[in-house]
Amino acid sequence: ENLPQLSIVYTLDTYQSIKALYSVGFNSPNFTQTDINIPTLPVPTNGNPNLIAEKVASYDISYTYFKSGHQFVGNIYYLQAQDFIQRVRNIDSITFQNSTEFDRWGYELDYQLSTKKLRYFMSLTYQHQGGELISGDKQAKFSPQFTSSFGAHYALSSKHHAGFSWRFID
């Protein structure tokens, strides 16, 4: 199986760059998905020994800016998935099966500000297919369309820090 990876980074100036990435990867089914059989659970769970490895091809383009403690990254992605392993609940049992081919796309925005004692961070992610009922992609309905986070970290001393974070997942 070919698993190519290619990345190109172009430096615009001392503070900015653009990166393009293409990669293909896989994830083999695990023991729980292939061999476990637990008939005594309230909903019996049965492995599927016929599962094959998931394969995903991803394309990313990102822009990075870093200067004087400010860091911003914007990323657009597209992925194509084949044979993703999905948990399937039937009327009387749970099993696993490979999906048909599906794709997803979205973007991510991240910002950090760092000073000697303080760091702020913010992020926002959008996945176009999140929350949708899509034939062949049973996981899309359970994937969030938006996620975000915000937080801060403060160095009280060399050994003591305080911080907080807030996360939103729709």
Side-chain angles (χ1 to χ4, degrees):
E1 188 77 35
N2 290 324
L3 299 173
Q5 293 186 354
L6 172 68
S7 64
I8 298 169
V9 178
Y10 180 74
T11 303
L12 299 169
D13 60 30
T14 306
Y15 310 109
Q16 304 176 86
S17 65
I18 295 175
K19 177 176 72 174
L21 172 69
Y22 167 72
S23 66
V24 176
F26 73 97
N27 180 40
S28 296
N30 64 42
F31 171 78
T32 302
Q33 296 163 332
T34 59
D35 296 308
I36 198 162
N37 291 301
I38 307 175
T40 57
L41 291 175
V43 179
T45 299
N46 301 304
N48 178 354
N50 298 317
L51 291 174
I52 59 175
E54 303 171 333
K55 187 174 176 183
V56 62
S58 64
Y59 306 82
D60 290 88
I61 296 175
S62 66
Y63 166 80
T64 301
Y65 173 85
F66 183 78
K67 182 179 181 183
S68 303
H70 297 271
Q71 179 176 343
F72 171 79
V73 178
N75 181 49
I76 298 171
Y77 69 88
Y78 172 75
L79 67 83
Q80 295 173 308
Q82 295 175 336
D83 302 315
F84 259 47
I85 298 168
Q86 299 183 337
R87 181 178 174 267
V88 178
R89 182 175 177 151
N90 299 314
I91 294 171
D92 58 352
S93 68
I94 294 172
T95 189
F96 301 89
Q97 71 182 32
N98 289 106
S99 69
T100 58
E101 187 173 319
F102 64 88
D103 62 352
R104 295 202 182 153
W105 64 269
Y107 62 83
E108 302 167 322
L109 302 171
D110 294 297
Y111 175 75
Q112 288 188 36
L113 171 62
S114 296
T115 65
K116 194 171 190 175
K117 291 189 163 242
L118 185 62
R119 179 186 310 171
Y120 293 103
F121 61 88
M122 296 175 262
S123 69
L124 173 67
T125 302
Y126 170 77
Q127 181 171 238
H128 183 70
Q129 293 78 9
E132 292 185 16
L133 186 58
I134 301 173
S135 176
D137 182 3
K138 296 181 187 306
Q139 304 297 345
K141 181 171 176 42
F142 305 106
S143 297
Q145 188 169 39
F146 289 98
T147 60
S148 64
S149 65
F150 172 78
H153 178 267
Y154 183 76
L156 299 168
S157 69
S158 63
K159 295 183 181 183
H160 297 91
H161 302 140
F164 75 93
S165 66
W166 171 83
R167 292 179 178 86
F168 168 79
I169 301 172
D170 76 343

